[in-house]
Amino acid sequence: MTEASGCPVGVTTEHDLLAEVVTQQLEAMLAVGNYDAVKLLLQPVQPVDIAEAIGGLPPQLQAIAFRLLTKDEAISVYEYLDTAIQQNLLGLLRSGEMREVMEEMSPDDRARLFEELPAKVVRQLLSELSPEERRVTAELLGYESETAGRLMTTEYVSLKENQTAAVALEIVRRRAHDTETIYSLYVTDAQRRLTGILSLRDLLTAAPQARIGDVMTEEVLSVRTNTDQEKVARTIQRYDFLAIPVVDLEQRLVGIVTVDDVIDVIEQEATRDLYAAGAVQAGGDDDYFSSNLFTVARRRVVWLAVLVVASFFTSEVIAANEEVLQKVVLLAAFIPLLGGTGGNVGAQSSTVVIRGLSTQSISGLGPFRAIGREAVAGALLGLLMMVLVVPFAWWRGESALVGLSVGMSLLAITTLAATAGAAFPLLFDRMGLDPALMSTPFITTCTDVAGTLIYLQTAAWLVSNLPQLLQATGISTQLLTAMTP
Amino acid sequence: MTEASGCPVGVTTEHDLLAEVVTQQLEAMLAVGNYDAVKLLLQPVQPVDIAEAIGGLPPQLQAIAFRLLTKDEAISVYEYLDTAIQQNLLGLLRSGEMREVMEEMSPDDRARLFEELPAKVVRQLLSELSPEERRVTAELLGYESETAGRLMTTEYVSLKENQTAAVALEIVRRRAHDTETIYSLYVTDAQRRLTGILSLRDLLTAAPQARIGDVMTEEVLSVRTNTDQEKVARTIQRYDFLAIPVVDLEQRLVGIVTVDDVIDVIEQEATRDLYAAGAVQAGGDDDYFSSNLFTVARRRVVWLAVLVVASFFTSEVIAANEEVLQKVVLLAAFIPLLGGTGGNVGAQSSTVVIRGLSTQSISGLGPFRAIGREAVAGALLGLLMMVLVVPFAWWRGESALVGLSVGMSLLAITTLAATAGAAFPLLFDRMGLDPALMSTPFITTCTDVAGTLIYLQTAAWLVSNLPQLLQATGISTQLLTAMTP
């Protein structure tokens, strides 16, 4: 599927294969010291692929390979390396060599790297930066993580209203090499307050003598430095923007967030929701599959322990109802089925509600209507399941008592599970907490406790009341004898 | 939080509130026939917000509001409307009015709309398009859904190698109004084969007399028309592209996929994975929260039925082990706990593996090492859980037999669950099926059957062998009597 790199048009869908081949060739060339071949090999490769190839090398070869890159390549490649390898290179390369890379990195990528480094190293690196880059980095590090302030870059093109389109285009040309994007342009007043935006498309199609103030759009959507990164992502996604301006409390333009960072945020948030649904604690940016087994266990054991302790209540409920189980042991055969079905119905409701909250598709419906809807859906599903489960339980449980207990509690359990599955995430959201925390496994386990209680209490009640009940409804004694255990 | 629309700088984070206010004002103005006020109200509002406001109106007012938009607004707004409302407008507006909108829509959005319409309507609409747009639309509709061919737009700027930068810039200027993006430019030869790309940034900074062939990059990453949309998205995400070219089998450029469509694909795939994890069948593009209750039930009942039938096996296992339960009823108290813990451990493993396959972060590890890793993690988690569970089971189960049965089977169950949780999605992936199909609830339910069997068989074995076992290990008869039930 993958064509050799260097081929003029590469239809690439298997990056990993490409990176693997490059890594192998790279390692072989470095081993024999053929540095010219390395330069030739890497020349047509994209920075992100070079970064992955370097990441696959033994640590001592990483610095050698990195040194062989041109200055521009080194800067782009460095930004794509994993934090651990970035740190490794910092230590291996003499500081003089790294100063240039540090100086030229995007401010947002640099802030993300500095966050991971020991304070001592950060202080040294900051002292080597130019005063301007130092100020910008310190400023970005001052914003809370996962906010627009941390996500933004301070490299953007800003224009003034009274400039002409021709002058503005000249400014764009000059700034093209050192700004993250030149496709979205920002207009500010003397106090650096954002007064309008225009796209490079608008600028290119404007008459050369047109005033920027007349070409720009005054209705600007912006976010604040403390806006949550997920909201920033949703806004860019909704309006199909390439970038969004970030302003401070005084409406002064302080940075922009670009669409490529937003894709990563959307992916990160999706991973977080999925992990929550699977009772796994999400890590930071680090790669799950390269973290060690104790990190893996640590990220899971807390949730498991919580769920096990919740299961103790189910055990308590069963122990408390030992008497009815003693009488009809086959009742035990349906405890997992009822708990499981309740759990699954609860998981379905919480899944759609949590996802609806994430993508904001639930907001058309109010919370009460959403819960009501789920409750009715749960009851409907319970009725449908009864058709399947009651005959099986009656036959397998060898009595009407088991069949009726299972059927009656099934309906109650699915309704309750769907209601709880919808209500808990919505409640959490209202309280300002992450709804995904009220995750599927938690709802599953709670449903288990309640479901088992409902089932065994129903059975206990039927054991003492079924005969009278059947008599009252006029069912013959013969049938009665056949049906009760 | 939201400032009034029309204010020069709006810090918008609550779109829904904005859309709601606009909808209310719009409805009031339309009711009294104040159409000038409507135009004034909508003038500063973004197309996507206008679309949402129109979507909130009663059907008969939608067409009136839509007619009040300027031609350009109408085209942008129409692309953002839900398919149902697009269809409604098609029916309400005289065909002449809609012809212009149809003609000017992005080809990819138009293809998506036509897909949902009845064949008769599509034929009529196609006949009203210009020959060029008709050809393009028919071509797009010919590609399979969820491929690059279906996702791409055919509106892009293509240049020739022997043009100068100045000429190329003029071409870009001329095409700026009718192409989806002018920021990525494509160079083709006489056979329309893609030979290079350049960004508008490259073009702007090139000398006016420079040849495009000298400015462009020859190493082009492209995808084919039949490349899966998720791979297209991952490629754009990986390389931080704004767009990627799509070529046919002969390397001819046929379209481009832009980053805004990719964000929607990533979100759609995340929803699909999350729904699979929650045993909910994902729908198409339609909004879950606006679909009716029977659609909701239909999307869930199939999975539930499968899971209920799987639970029948657990019931069978318990019924088959009725004898040991008869002897020690309290054994039943731990069936849900063991099944639940096994299910949760299995869910954790399948979650990280399924997500790892989606984001391609698992590919560094081979499948066998990934499974081995999960198995060891499962055993580790089982050992940690034993510390918590065995003392509780011993006490609550009122015997060493229950405590030992629970402990021994717990370790076996967590190891098995983690192994299965990792192996099934990887196996499905190898077989070319969607790994998310081998979803968490399915693994949970399978683990339940196996776990219950292991537990009750262990208990049955201990019932007949515990006394000899204890005697063999030299434990005093007094302790023995206290410990066996």
Side-chain angles (χ1 to χ4, degrees):
Chain A
M1 297 265 281
T2 308
E3 284 162 55
S5 73
C7 151
V9 180
V11 177
T12 294
T13 47
E14 304 283 347
H15 323 289
D16 314 305
L17 196 57
L18 180 69
E20 212 173 288
V21 170
V22 172
T23 308
Q24 281 167 9
Q25 294 186 348
L26 192 60
E27 192 167 350
M29 289 170 183
L30 289 171
V32 299
N34 191 347
Y35 299 145
D36 290 336
V38 170
K39 287 179 191 171
L40 215 63
L41 170 74
L42 295 183
Q43 196 251 320
V45 181
Q46 296 272 346
V48 60
D49 292 325
I50 299 182
E52 191 162 320
I54 289 182
L57 291 174
Q60 68 282 12
L61 291 183
Q62 288 172 352
I64 302 176
F66 189 74
R67 270 210 190 96
L68 293 171
L69 303 174
T70 64
K71 193 193 105 185
D72 284 350
E73 271 178 349
I75 292 161
S76 334
V77 167
Y78 194 78
E79 294 184 349
Y80 282 115
L81 290 167
D82 286 346
T83 315
I85 299 167
Q86 286 179 333
Q87 293 189 30
N88 178 29
L89 285 180
L90 271 184
L92 284 174
L93 296 173
R94 291 185 317 276
S95 73
E97 286 178 274
M98 288 308 289
R99 194 189 308 157
E100 212 162 17
V101 172
M102 284 295 128
E103 183 73 24
E104 299 287 336
M105 271 182 95
S106 294
D108 52 336
D109 289 324
R110 187 167 50 214
R112 269 192 283 278
L113 167 65
F114 280 19
E115 209 176 2
E116 302 290 325
L117 295 174
K120 211 182 115 186
V121 179
V122 171
R123 265 197 303 277
Q124 203 220 319
L125 288 171
L126 275 173
S127 75
E128 289 176 8
L129 290 175
S130 64
E132 172 56 19
E133 295 294 324
R134 193 186 315 149
R135 189 191 62 72
V136 163
T137 308
E139 190 184 316
L140 289 184
L141 285 172
Y143 298 114
E144 257 183 275
S145 65
E146 312 208 340
T147 62
R150 190 56 82 75
L151 204 61
M152 72 187 186
T153 179
T154 51
E155 291 175 338
Y156 52 86
V157 179
S158 73
L159 303 170
K160 297 291 167 202
E161 291 187 22
N162 53 9
Q163 288 167 338
T164 63
V167 168
L169 195 56
E170 218 23 70
I171 296 175
V172 170
R173 276 213 173 89
R174 268 207 317 276
R175 300 282 325 270
H177 286 300
D178 67 347
T179 53
E180 188 141 335
T181 182
I182 57 165
Y183 302 137
S184 301
L185 310 166
Y186 303 90
V187 186
T188 54
D189 64 14
Q191 281 77 46
R192 283 209 298 134
R193 282 195 300 258
L194 182 64
T195 60
I197 54 161
L198 68 166
S199 65
L200 183 54
R201 191 195 290 243
D202 299 329
L203 185 60
L204 269 184
T205 52
Q209 293 314 314
R211 265 184 79 247
I212 292 300
D214 300 328
V215 179
M216 72 183 196
T217 308
E218 288 183 10
E219 289 81 33
V220 187
L221 286 179
S222 59
V223 292
R224 290 201 203 281
T225 50
N226 62 355
T227 303
D228 185 84
Q229 64 172 5
E230 194 166 2
K231 290 215 166 171
V232 178
R234 296 285 160 215
T235 308
I236 288 191
Q237 178 186 18
R238 178 177 172 90
Y239 296 102
D240 291 343
F241 287 160
L242 294 179
I244 194 164
V246 183
V247 297
D248 64 13
L249 284 172
E250 284 80 40
Q251 302 286 11
R252 281 188 307 247
L253 181 62
V254 290
I256 63 168
V257 175
T258 50
V259 68
D260 54 314
D261 292 327
V262 155
I263 296 184
D264 298 337
V265 169
I266 288 178
E267 176 126 321
Q268 200 180 321
E269 300 283 346
T271 298
R272 194 172 298 180
D273 285 1
L274 263 163
Y275 275 23
V280 180
Q281 196 189 327
D285 284 341
D286 58 326
D287 184 2
Y288 174 83
F289 290 97
S290 55
S291 52
N292 70 53
L293 272 176
F294 284 94
T295 312
V296 168
R298 183 174 50 74
R299 289 224 195 121
R300 301 191 194 172
V301 77
V302 178
W303 257 121
L304 278 186
V306 169
L307 296 173
V308 156
V309 171
S311 289
F312 287 174
F313 291 99
T314 308
S315 302
E316 285 295 323
V317 165
I318 296 173
N321 289 277
E322 198 184 346
E323 206 183 322
V324 66
L325 282 172
Q326 201 91 53
K327 277 193 198 130
V328 193
V329 172
L330 280 175
L331 278 172
F334 299 92
I335 296 176
L337 185 148
L338 289 168
T341 306
N344 288 327
V345 170
Q348 291 179 326
S349 292
S350 71
T351 297
V352 294
V353 168
I354 289 172
R355 189 65 184 155
L357 284 166
S358 273
T359 61
Q360 306 186 343
S361 62
I362 204 177
S363 48
L365 226 63
F368 293 105
R369 275 175 58 205
I371 295 171
R373 220 175 117 87
E374 289 304 315
V376 175
L380 196 62
L381 288 167
L383 285 171
L384 288 169
M385 288 300 103
M386 277 170 77
V387 178
L388 212 61
V389 171
V390 172
F392 177 78
W394 198 306
W395 164 74
R396 177 72 275 170
E398 296 166 11
S399 72
L401 177 87
V402 175
L404 291 177
S405 305
V406 168
M408 285 162 70
S409 49
L410 183 65
L411 183 61
I413 290 168
T414 57
T415 311
L416 184 75
T419 311
F424 279 115
L426 284 166
L427 187 72
F428 260 50
D429 188 55
R430 271 291 155 108
M431 290 162 64
L433 300 166
D434 182 2
L437 273 181
M438 187 41 62
S439 72
T440 309
F442 190 77
I443 286 167
T444 306
T445 308
C446 290
T447 308
D448 224 18
V449 183
T452 309
L453 184 65
I454 292 170
Y455 172 52
L456 294 179
Q457 290 292 312
T458 307
W461 183 83
L462 280 178
V463 161
S464 31
N465 294 295
L466 192 59
Q468 295 94 300
L469 209 67
L470 292 178
Q471 239 159 6
T473 52
I475 292 175
S476 78
T477 342
Q478 201 189 341
L479 191 62
L480 179 72
T481 325
M483 279 166 81
T484 47
Chain B
M1 298 264 283
T2 309
E3 284 163 56
S5 73
C7 150
V9 179
V11 176
T12 293
T13 49
E14 304 283 348
H15 322 290
D16 314 304
L17 196 57
L18 180 69
E20 213 172 287
V21 170
V22 172
T23 308
Q24 281 165 7
Q25 294 185 347
L26 193 59
E27 192 167 350
M29 288 169 183
L30 289 171
V32 298
N34 191 347
Y35 299 144
D36 289 336
V38 169
K39 287 179 190 170
L40 215 63
L41 170 74
L42 295 183
Q43 196 253 321
V45 181
Q46 297 271 348
V48 60
D49 292 325
I50 299 182
E52 193 164 317
I54 289 182
L57 290 174
Q60 68 282 14
L61 290 184
Q62 289 173 351
I64 302 177
F66 189 75
R67 271 210 190 97
L68 292 172
L69 302 174
T70 65
K71 193 192 108 188
D72 284 351
E73 272 177 348
I75 293 161
S76 334
V77 167
Y78 194 77
E79 294 184 350
Y80 282 113
L81 289 168
D82 287 347
T83 315
I85 299 169
Q86 286 178 332
Q87 295 189 28
N88 179 28
L89 285 180
L90 271 184
L92 283 174
L93 297 174
R94 290 187 316 275
S95 75
E97 285 178 273
M98 288 308 292
R99 192 188 308 158
E100 210 162 19
V101 172
M102 284 295 128
E103 182 74 23
E104 298 289 335
M105 271 181 96
S106 293
D108 51 337
D109 289 324
R110 187 168 47 214
R112 269 192 284 277
L113 167 65
F114 280 18
E115 208 175 2
E116 302 290 326
L117 294 175
K120 208 182 118 189
V121 179
V122 171
R123 266 197 303 277
Q124 203 220 318
L125 288 172
L126 275 173
S127 74
E128 288 175 10
L129 290 176
S130 65
E132 171 57 16
E133 294 296 323
R134 193 186 316 150
R135 190 191 62 72
V136 162
T137 307
E139 191 184 315
L140 288 184
L141 284 171
Y143 297 114
E144 255 183 276
S145 64
E146 311 208 342
T147 63
R150 189 55 80 77
L151 204 60
M152 73 188 185
T153 178
T154 52
E155 292 176 339
Y156 53 85
V157 179
S158 73
L159 304 170
K160 298 290 165 204
E161 290 187 24
N162 54 8
Q163 288 166 340
T164 62
V167 168
L169 195 57
E170 219 22 71
I171 294 175
V172 171
R173 277 214 174 88
R174 267 207 317 275
R175 300 282 324 270
H177 286 300
D178 66 346
T179 54
E180 187 142 335
T181 181
I182 57 165
Y183 303 136
S184 300
L185 309 166
Y186 302 90
V187 186
T188 54
D189 64 13
Q191 282 76 46
R192 283 208 300 134
R193 280 195 303 258
L194 182 65
T195 61
I197 54 160
L198 69 165
S199 64
L200 182 55
R201 193 195 290 242
D202 299 330
L203 184 61
L204 269 185
T205 52
Q209 292 314 312
R211 264 185 79 247
I212 290 301
D214 300 327
V215 180
M216 72 182 197
T217 307
E218 287 182 9
E219 289 81 33
V220 187
L221 285 178
S222 59
V223 291
R224 290 201 203 280
T225 49
N226 61 356
T227 303
D228 184 84
Q229 63 172 6
E230 193 165 4
K231 290 216 167 171
V232 177
R234 295 284 160 216
T235 308
I236 289 193
Q237 178 186 19
R238 179 177 172 89
Y239 296 102
D240 291 342
F241 287 160
L242 293 180
I244 194 164
V246 183
V247 297
D248 64 13
L249 284 172
E250 284 81 38
Q251 301 287 12
R252 279 189 307 248
L253 180 62
V254 289
I256 63 168
V257 176
T258 50
V259 68
D260 53 312
D261 292 326
V262 154
I263 296 184
D264 298 338
V265 169
I266 288 179
E267 176 128 320
Q268 199 181 324
E269 301 283 345
T271 297
R272 193 173 298 183
D273 284 2
L274 262 163
Y275 274 22
V280 180
Q281 196 189 326
D285 284 341
D286 58 327
D287 184 3
Y288 174 83
F289 289 97
S290 56
S291 52
N292 70 50
L293 273 175
F294 284 94
T295 312
V296 168
R298 183 174 50 72
R299 291 225 195 121
R300 301 190 192 172
V301 78
V302 177
W303 257 120
L304 277 186
V306 170
L307 297 173
V308 156
V309 171
S311 289
F312 286 174
F313 291 98
T314 308
S315 302
E316 285 295 323
V317 166
I318 297 174
N321 288 276
E322 197 183 349
E323 205 184 323
V324 65
L325 282 172
Q326 200 91 54
K327 276 192 199 135
V328 194
V329 171
L330 281 175
L331 279 171
F334 298 93
I335 296 176
L337 186 148
L338 290 168
T341 306
N344 288 327
V345 170
Q348 292 179 326
S349 292
S350 70
T351 297
V352 296
V353 167
I354 289 172
R355 189 65 184 155
L357 285 166
S358 274
T359 61
Q360 306 186 344
S361 62
I362 204 176
S363 48
L365 226 64
F368 293 105
R369 276 175 59 207
I371 295 170
R373 219 176 118 87
E374 290 303 315
V376 176
L380 196 62
L381 288 167
L383 286 171
L384 288 168
M385 288 300 104
M386 277 170 78
V387 177
L388 211 62
V389 171
V390 173
F392 176 79
W394 198 306
W395 165 74
R396 175 74 273 169
E398 296 166 12
S399 73
L401 177 88
V402 175
L404 291 177
S405 305
V406 168
M408 287 163 67
S409 49
L410 182 64
L411 183 61
I413 289 168
T414 56
T415 312
L416 184 77
T419 311
F424 279 115
L426 285 165
L427 187 72
F428 259 52
D429 188 53
R430 271 293 155 106
M431 289 162 64
L433 299 167
D434 182 1
L437 273 181
M438 189 38 65
S439 75
T440 308
F442 190 76
I443 288 166
T444 306
T445 307
C446 291
T447 308
D448 224 18
V449 183
T452 308
L453 183 65
I454 293 171
Y455 173 51
L456 294 178
Q457 290 291 310
T458 307
W461 184 82
L462 280 178
V463 160
S464 32
N465 294 294
L466 192 58
Q468 294 95 299
L469 209 67
L470 292 177
Q471 239 159 7
T473 52
I475 292 175
S476 79
T477 343
Q478 202 189 341
L479 192 60
L480 178 73
T481 326
M483 279 168 80
T484 47

